[in-house]
Every structure is written in C-alpha cells, then in structure tokens.
Amino acid sequence: MTEYDDAILDSSSISSTDKAGRPIPVTIPIVLAPGITVTYTTRLGGLSAGEWGNCNLGGKGGDSAEAVLSNRIALSEAVGAPLSIISQVHSGKAVDMDEVFGRNAPFGYDFSGTQDDEGHAPAGMTVIEADAQVTSRKGVALGVFAADCLPVLLADPQAGVIGVAHCGRKGLQQGVIGSAVDLMKTKGAVPERIVATLGPRICGDCYETGDEIADAFDAQFPGSFSLTRFGGTGINIVAAALSELSKAGVVADNIIESRPRVNAATQYLSEDAELAELCATDGEGPASLDERINAIHRSMCTVENPMWYSHRRAALAGKTHEGRMLALIQRQ
C-alpha cells in the first residue's frame, strides 16, 4: 500500500451511502495547492445501470434522469460544494462563472438528463454552452465531463483564481486552454504562478484517428503524432495540451502529476467487488478484473484503466452508450 491510500479511503467512503441512501461516488482527491483540491470521479458508487454503470454524471447519453440527478447530488454532497457544470460543445470558449454563478445545483448549467419530453430545460434554469470555466469564488466545484477527452485543471493560489478546461481534439485546436488562462489573467492570475494538472484521458497509444486527422493535428501541435497499438496512426492530446500550456505561459515545473494518486487508487481498487462486477458484465474487455488491471500500461489512460469511462473502449466493444466522469476543482 502507498501513502495515498488513506486519503482515497477518507474522501470516498467506498461501501457507504449518504444520509438519503444514495451511494457515495468513489473519487480520487488531489491537493493541487494549499486550499485547492482536484477531484476525479470513477465509474464506482452511483445508481446508473447497464451501459452507463455505475456512476454516470453526464446526461447526454440516454441514462435515466433520476440516476444522473442522484449521482450529481451525491457527488456535490461528497465534495461539500455545489457543482458548476456546463453544456460542453467541443469549443474554445471559456466562461467567467463569477459573472453568472447562481444556485442551479445540482445541475450546474448543463440541463442534459433533466429536460422534459420536448427537450426544454427545467423552469428558471440557465444553460451555458462552453468548454472551460474560471472563478475566484470559494466553495464552488468547477467541473468538466470526460470519457476520453482530457480535463486540464488550473489554479493561481496567490490570486485565488481557479479554472478547468475540457480538452478534446477539437477544443485543443480551437485554443480552449489559452482561453481559460486568458480569462484567469483578467481576474488577477499570473501565468507563471499557475499550477496545473492533467486528468484522465485517452493516451497516444490508444487514440487512433487515421492519417488525415493525425497529420493536421501534428501540423498544429508538432510532436503529437502517434502510432497506436491498433496498428494505425493517431494523436497524443497530452502532448498538444502541454504545448498549449507552455504557449499560455504556464511553467513546466508547475504542472503537477496526477499519476501517483491515480496509481494508488488503481492499486487499491484492484480487488474491489464493485469494479470486479462491472468488468464481469460490461463486455469491454476480459471479464476478470485481475486481467484488466494487469494489462494497464498507463493508469491515466481511460481506455486501459477500467475504473474510468471511455467512449473509445465502449465503441470497440460495440456498445452504443457509455457514461461520463467529472473532473472537479474547488477552492476552500
């Protein structure tokens, strides 16, 4: 066991439920800086079922609205803050949540999974389309959904400003990281002081795109071209994100690795009964959790590690649906 196991257990009461009887989402906490916490959710600890099991937090994939709502409420209570989530559209747009923040909780500003039969948002609810958020507020958990895309979490502890960006291929190409950093700067952040961490994502060995997309992406982000384990050409979105962070002025030494915490969580959950049951029934790989764990080369890769949701892994298995994790950052 590692030094991180107690922190994982303390933050994620794995076998318990909350006061309303909802399963508490199993999360991985990381202290990014004093008073600033990053949280990654896993597939464990929710009420979703079937292809969305078990802790789906996204509402656009057809999951039960009741399950999504329960999972979001339970997560909000577990992290002790209202969730600020937005309707992601693979853009380069960042939004200042200080200007618009209200108590839309538990939905945040993404009404997916809560709309009526005609697709309308609940009365009085604000919907915001963007792919990055910034705030100087304490006690608000900024979040982005992911199931292969890369969450990038940012903070200037001295200025008291935090941000999060949803970095898929298209968002990176449209400059979503630069948009987030630029917005943080308007609130007093200094790029050289910003600390960042990169969340769970599909790795370059797994992200097969074909020659045309890979060549165009590499032309914009030199060094991001990859040859995948499936035998085709692909891209490395981490390489692109690191390039964009450097371009925005974020110092390489200020990029904190999430991997040690994730390695510890993977080790701890390697014999978890709930994860074992998911592996036995999801059809996305070997039915044995032990086989899945032993096949992991990169714990941060959403395709390789069964505790993450992965659109690509689900598609390779011939599935039509999958869930979404949330990557959160909050300032106490």
Side-chain angles (χ1 to χ4, degrees):
M1 291 301 209
T2 76
E3 63 183 295
Y4 298 119
D5 291 338
D6 288 343
I8 295 167
L9 286 169
D10 288 345
S11 70
S12 313
S13 301
I14 292 175
S15 62
S16 67
T17 57
D18 65 17
K19 59 187 178 183
R22 291 178 289 260
I24 296 176
V26 176
T27 63
I28 302 172
I30 296 171
V31 177
L32 186 59
I36 298 171
T37 302
V38 164
T39 302
Y40 302 134
T41 69
T42 68
R43 291 203 291 166
L44 307 177
L47 289 181
S48 297
E51 294 184 333
W52 300 275
N54 285 0
C55 191
N56 172 39
L57 293 151
K60 294 182 179 180
D63 192 8
S64 157
E66 291 78 12
V68 173
L69 173 59
S70 174
N71 296 343
R72 290 180 179 180
I73 293 174
L75 176 61
S76 178
E77 293 189 355
V79 300
L83 307 181
S84 178
I85 51 180
I86 49 180
S87 182
Q88 297 169 196
V89 290
H90 294 279
S91 70
K93 181 180 178 182
V95 61
D96 183 351
M97 299 311 294
D98 290 346
E99 296 180 354
V100 298
F101 184 78
R103 292 306 298 268
N104 255 355
F107 316 104
Y109 302 87
D110 166 47
F111 71 91
S112 60
T114 66
Q115 62 268 41
D116 61 23
D117 292 339
E118 296 180 354
H120 299 134
M125 183 176 177
T126 302
V127 177
I128 296 175
E129 292 187 344
D131 285 87
Q133 305 181 66
V134 169
T135 189
S136 59
R137 288 176 177 265
K138 291 184 177 181
V140 176
L142 302 182
V144 290
F145 299 107
D148 285 335
C149 292
L150 167 67
V152 174
L153 305 108
L154 308 148
D156 180 340
Q158 185 173 327
V161 181
I162 58 175
V164 62
H166 163 243
C167 303
R169 172 175 61 86
K170 293 179 181 179
L172 285 165
Q173 290 178 308
Q174 295 179 69
V176 68
I177 289 177
S179 296
V181 172
D182 285 345
L183 193 52
M184 291 176 71
K185 286 161 60 177
T186 68
K187 306 180 78 60
V190 176
E192 293 77 12
R193 290 198 310 246
I194 290 176
V195 292
T197 194
L198 279 58
R201 69 277 178 166
I202 188 171
C203 75
D205 283 354
C206 294
Y207 195 177
E208 190 168 83
T209 62
D211 293 347
E212 184 176 352
I213 289 175
D215 287 343
F217 198 77
D218 189 68
Q220 185 173 354
F221 307 109
S224 63
F225 184 93
S226 71
L227 295 174
T228 75
R229 62 186 175 93
F230 306 112
T233 54
I235 61 174
N236 185 333
I237 55 176
V238 168
L242 292 174
S243 174
E244 287 293 275
L245 285 167
S246 177
K247 180 180 176 182
V250 178
V251 180
D253 286 347
N254 287 349
I255 299 175
I256 310 301
E257 276 282 0
S258 288
R259 188 173 60 245
R261 263 322 197 4
V262 170
N263 284 347
T266 303
Q267 175 189 356
Y268 180 79
L269 294 170
S270 64
E271 298 182 0
D272 181 76
E274 184 181 358
L275 186 56
E277 178 65 19
L278 279 172
C279 289
T281 59
D282 67 10
E284 296 179 359
S288 164
L289 173 57
D290 188 56
E291 286 187 61
R292 299 260 191 119
I293 295 295
N294 288 336
I296 294 173
H297 296 287
R298 299 169 182 83
S299 64
M300 297 296 293
C301 178
T302 47
V303 175
E304 294 184 11
N305 195 329
M307 72 181 179
W308 309 124
Y309 284 108
S310 170
H311 173 76
R312 182 61 57 100
R313 190 176 68 230
L316 289 170
K319 298 169 71 171
T320 56
H321 301 102
E322 75 289 325
R324 292 290 186 273
M325 69 167 287
L326 271 173
L328 304 169
I329 185 169
Q330 63 192 101
R331 176 170 166 250
Q332 282 76 29

